[in-house]
């Protein structure tokens, strides 16, 4: 291939990627502009692109009458505790599967991986019955406890910990260190990238979780942001699109800020694990 043809190919790829990026960002641009429109302008057909009379009424209604700060705090509390639970328990479980020898280890790992193929909707009713029997409906524990450990988190931490040298752990055991001390003082400090990856992915999943909070949060005081966004955007005249767009922007902003600040850790953590095939992983 000549240099000229390679240059043409590079320009074509760049153009295609630019078009794909523009098409991807187009809905977000429309959502942003529509959040500054009033109901009358949103009902114009064909729709206008730029707001003719920009207004902050949609944002004001969310932040005052609809008590968005309370729902934001609920989502934040749930997301923070879910992230902390995953970082602790997935690390412990992943360490056991990667570095400890015990009977049934391979079968347990296959069971963990098998749960990845079970749709969450299948376990929702039994999980709700369990939560209701424990008297936890409409509480923070009901929103947090079912998600404090995930199979994906266990797999991610296990795969990275396989690369930690066994000689380093053996030296610590010779010095009298227990397994918990080895995990928290030696292994986890070496797992910055996968821990950051797990934390970001877990936060995004928890923040966007809608169906489970809709089921167990049975009062307005316990609504998370996605539930409040869904319920409050439907008025007597139908869907209030301006309110929906403004609420979507308020939900999106924290996610966007966190991801832009930490997205490099996601890529670094994914590549650091190597992500071998399941057959290779189960042979360990």
């Amino acid at each position: 291939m000549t240099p000229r043809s390679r240059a043409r190919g590079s320009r074509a790829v760049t153009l295609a990627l630019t078009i794909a990026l523009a098409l991807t960002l187009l809905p977000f641009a429309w959502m942003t502009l529509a959040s500054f429109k009033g109901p009358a302008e949103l009902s114009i057909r064909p729709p206008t692109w730029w707001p003719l009379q920009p207004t902050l009424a949609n944002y004001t209604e969310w932040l005052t009458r609809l008590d968005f700060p309370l729902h934001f705090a609920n989502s934040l509390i749930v997301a923070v505790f879910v992230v902390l639970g995953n970082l602790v328990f997935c690390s412990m479980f992943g360490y056991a599967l990667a570095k400890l020898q015990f009977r049934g280890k391979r079968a347990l790992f296959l069971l963990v991986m098998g749960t990845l193929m079970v749709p969450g909707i299948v376990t929702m009713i039994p999980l709700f019955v369990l939560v209701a029997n424990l008297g936890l409906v409409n509480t923070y524990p009901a929103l947090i406890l079912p998600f404090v450990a995930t199979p994906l988190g266990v797999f991610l931490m296990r795969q990275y910990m396989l690369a930690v040298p066994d000689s380093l752990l053996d030296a610590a055991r010779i010095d009298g260190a227990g397994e918990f001390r080895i995990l928290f003082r030696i292994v986890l400090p070496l797992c910055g990238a996968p821990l950051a990856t797990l934390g970001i992915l877990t936060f995004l999943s928890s923040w966007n979780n809608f169906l489970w909070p809709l089921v167990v949060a049975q009062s307005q005081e316990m609504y998370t942001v996605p539930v409040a966004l869904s319920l409050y955007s439907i008025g007597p005249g139908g869907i209030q699109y301006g309110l929906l767009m403004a609420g979507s922007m308020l939900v999106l902003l924290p996610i966007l800020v966190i991801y832009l600040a930490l997205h490099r850790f996601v890529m670094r953590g994914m590549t650091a694990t190597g992500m071998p095939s399941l057959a290779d992983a189960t042979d360990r």
Side-chain angles (χ1 to χ4, degrees), residues 126-137:
L127 186 59
F128 179 79
V129 173
L130 176 61
V131 169
N133 290 336
L134 293 174
L136 298 178
V137 174

Side-chain angles (χ1 to χ4, degrees), residues 263-284:
H263 72 281
R264 63 184 183 276
F265 292 107
V266 176
M267 299 306 299
R268 188 184 306 170
M270 288 298 185
T271 55
T273 58
M275 292 299 176
S277 66
L278 182 59
D280 295 335
T282 54
D283 288 339
R284 300 291 187 102

Side-chain angles (χ1 to χ4, degrees), residues 46 69 77 101 142 144 151 201 203 224 238 265:
I77 291 172
Q101 300 300 324
I144 296 170
L201 296 180
F203 182 87
T224 58
F265 292 107

Side-chain angles (χ1 to χ4, degrees), residues 34-39 42 58 62 239-247:
S35 67
F36 295 101
K37 297 179 181 180
L42 285 170
N58 296 318
W62 271 112
I239 299 176
Q240 303 179 60
Y241 288 102
L243 200 62
L244 179 62
M245 297 301 173

